Amino acid sequence: LAIAHGVGAKSRLEFPIGKALFETEGWITNVRISPSGDALAFIHHPRTGDDGGSVMVIGREGKPKPLAEGFSTAGGLAWSPSGREVWFTATQVGGNRALWAVTLSGEKRILARVTGNLTLHDVARDGRILVSHDTLRSGILGYAPGDAREKDLSWLDWSGVRDIAADGSWFAFVESGE
């Protein structure tokens, strides 16, 4: 059994439980044991609260190796059926994750890219994948002066209010989605 958990202000990866292999001031997600049982793959998020990060592999001897780095968002990881690749969902720019594969020597390739955001949940022994197509949205709901009902005041997919006039006649917002 492998675990990632908080220890004080750090996040620690243990394999087996009680044997610390990796520690970070950030956080660790998607820990998976290789099919042969001799290594772990995981996503290292170096900054707490930020889901950007790197796909890492570490053996029982405790030497971490980054396989794929520099993702603005990374979430979802599993070993390929052969154990020669790690499959994961991430993107280098923006927020819409694609499905990637990376070899243990660090050669990356995209397996699938769609409009929107993918999250890998699992890979079956026959290569079928369990993946979700996620729609993330931030919006603005409100009443304008004289309105009887609340309405959607969003522009595109990630609107956020920054200021509102005292009389409610206008508001300033930002749009930062895809």
Side-chain angles (χ1 to χ4, degrees):
L1 191 61
I3 62 167
H5 65 106
V7 178
K10 295 191 176 194
S11 185
R12 179 182 293 163
L13 179 62
E14 297 179 7
F15 180 55
I17 294 174
K19 181 181 178 186
L21 294 181
F22 182 79
E23 271 192 356
T24 179
E25 292 180 5
W27 51 302
I28 299 164
T29 61
N30 303 105
V31 178
R32 296 295 186 103
I33 300 171
S34 66
S36 62
D38 62 347
L40 300 176
F42 62 97
I43 299 175
H44 173 223
H45 306 277
R47 289 174 300 281
T48 301
D50 182 349
D51 72 347
S54 302
V55 174
M56 309 277 290
V57 69
I58 192 166
R60 289 182 180 267
E61 72 286 348
K63 294 181 183 171
K65 177 182 175 185
L67 296 181
E69 300 179 274
F71 294 99
S72 64
T73 177
L77 177 146
W79 288 89
S80 68
S82 69
R84 293 190 298 262
E85 290 182 319
V86 175
W87 294 357
F88 62 99
T89 41
T91 187
Q92 293 168 319
V93 177
N96 288 334
R97 294 187 297 256
L99 177 62
W100 295 73
V102 63
T103 65
L104 298 180
S105 62
E107 295 175 43
K108 295 182 298 201
R109 63 191 172 98
I110 291 180
L111 297 175
R113 178 177 286 152
V114 301
T115 302
N117 190 27
L118 295 177
T119 301
L120 177 65
H121 298 283
D122 208 356
V123 176
R125 290 181 188 194
D126 64 4
R128 290 175 299 137
I129 62 170
L130 178 60
V131 64
S132 59
H133 181 249
D134 309 323
T135 302
L136 303 175
R137 190 167 195 269
S138 175
I140 304 167
L141 298 174
Y143 293 90
D147 284 350
R149 294 184 330 192
E150 182 177 75
K151 59 181 159 184
D152 188 349
L153 302 171
S154 308
W155 186 31
L156 297 173
D157 63 343
W158 209 264
S159 301
V161 174
R162 290 297 177 249
D163 199 4
I164 302 173
D167 67 358
S169 63
W170 62 265
F171 69 97
F173 70 99
V174 296
E175 179 66 40
S176 58
E178 294 292 321

